[in-house]
Amino acid sequence: MSPVQAIFLGVVQGLTEFLPVSSSGHLVILQDLLGVQMPGLSFEVMVHGGTLVAVFLAFGEQVWYVVRGVLAVVFGKSRHPSHREAARIAVALLVGSVPAAVAGVGLRRLFEAWFQSPSLAGLGLICTGLVLIAGGRLGRTGRGLREVGFGRALVIGVAQAVALVPGISRSGSTITAGLWMGLQRQAAAEFSFLLSIPAVAGALFLDIKELVQSPAGVEGVALWLGAMSAAVSGYFAIRVLLRFLRTGRYYLFAYYVWAVGILVMARQLQA
């Protein structure tokens, strides 16, 4: 794989992982329309690592707040109410991660089969557009991150599990679910991206495990170019999405996914 191809695939992964346009849907479409193939597990490991770095860069303050609170509670040094609040957020993130973990492990073969269907990806993108429209005007007022609660976390987690279907956006589904559950826009986005950390880390772990069992992929500079481009484009995507949320233009991404989804469906009908 050439350096240019590595950068291109890294940028696509970084942008679509965090913008509400579905990274899985775009991967299926790229494979079908352009004949683009992910070059191997080693490359997938690196780009997943790059997107994880992007979340830490964008939400480092919130991540440290949660980690510090958990450590304080675990080691019995919790002297401030914020520590217990942070620990509750950590538990909420754990609760929210359960549905996708269960679905991902139990239905993995089914999801892998769905990744071979451009028609399903196109339909998923159209559904994603409806989800974005549904949440576009919500969240001007509402609860903050510290008020997510376990029930809301579970609902958002179910939305994340549904997003395992190609074409359904993880960020779009989880943010909209948060908005419908009464969260402020910023809080919905923060919880969604914090929730992406165990999700991406889990995918990274599975990739590494599979890579150890059957080594394959890309060597050399291409790996690092892919990871760095995924991290940079992922960070950029997060900042763009937050701006669209703050200005109430989050729904505009719906028109893009509708256009792509309709294009894919039309192509499949002609095939």
Side-chain angles (χ1 to χ4, degrees):
M1 182 174 60
S2 71
V4 173
Q5 289 174 320
I7 293 172
F8 170 73
L9 289 174
V11 168
V12 170
Q13 175 67 27
L15 291 178
T16 59
E17 182 73 33
F18 299 117
L19 292 177
V21 297
S22 177
S23 61
S24 60
H26 277 73
L27 178 58
V28 173
I29 292 166
L30 283 173
Q31 290 175 338
D32 182 58
L33 293 182
L34 304 180
V36 174
Q37 297 288 332
M38 286 299 282
L41 278 173
S42 58
F43 189 81
E44 290 185 31
V45 167
M46 293 299 282
V47 294
H48 273 134
T51 54
L52 200 57
V53 168
V55 178
F56 284 126
L57 289 175
F59 293 96
E61 182 179 346
Q62 291 88 339
V63 171
W64 175 238
Y65 171 80
V66 173
V67 171
R68 184 178 56 190
V70 170
L71 292 176
V73 170
V74 169
F75 291 103
K77 297 181 179 181
S78 177
R79 300 177 180 176
H80 196 277
S82 65
H83 294 157
R84 289 186 290 276
E85 290 175 349
R88 287 186 72 256
I89 294 173
V91 176
L93 290 170
L94 180 62
V95 170
S97 299
V98 169
V102 172
V105 173
L107 302 175
R108 187 177 184 185
R109 292 188 181 277
L110 178 61
F111 289 128
E112 288 175 349
W114 284 350
F115 265 80
Q116 307 304 316
S117 173
S119 297
L120 181 61
L123 181 60
L125 288 170
I126 293 172
C127 292
T128 290
L130 296 174
V131 168
L132 298 178
I133 291 293
R137 301 295 183 180
L138 301 174
R140 290 186 177 89
T141 60
R143 300 174 183 272
L145 179 62
R146 301 176 187 182
E147 302 172 277
V148 170
F150 302 150
R152 292 182 177 85
L154 184 60
V155 171
I156 297 171
V158 170
Q160 179 169 253
V162 172
L164 292 171
V165 177
I168 303 295
S169 165
R170 194 209 68 85
S171 61
S173 297
T174 52
I175 290 174
T176 297
L179 294 173
W180 276 101
M181 295 303 293
L183 299 183
Q184 297 172 358
R185 291 170 180 170
Q186 183 68 24
E190 288 178 353
F191 191 80
S192 169
F193 286 115
L194 290 175
L195 193 61
S196 76
I197 293 176
V200 175
L204 182 60
F205 172 78
L206 291 175
D207 285 345
I208 292 175
K209 181 180 178 182
E210 193 169 340
L211 180 60
V212 170
Q213 294 173 345
S214 55
V218 182
E219 301 296 335
V221 176
L223 290 174
W224 293 102
L225 287 175
M228 288 187 289
S229 59
V232 172
S233 61
Y235 178 82
F236 172 77
I238 291 171
R239 305 312 302 181
V240 168
L241 179 56
L242 291 175
R243 179 174 297 181
F244 272 76
L245 270 170
R246 283 193 294 266
T247 57
R249 295 183 296 164
Y250 166 70
Y251 67 93
L252 291 177
F253 289 101
Y255 301 112
Y256 169 76
V257 293
W258 278 340
V260 176
I262 291 171
L263 175 65
V264 171
M265 295 293 287
R267 185 177 186 278
Q268 292 304 307
L269 289 174
Q270 293 176 352

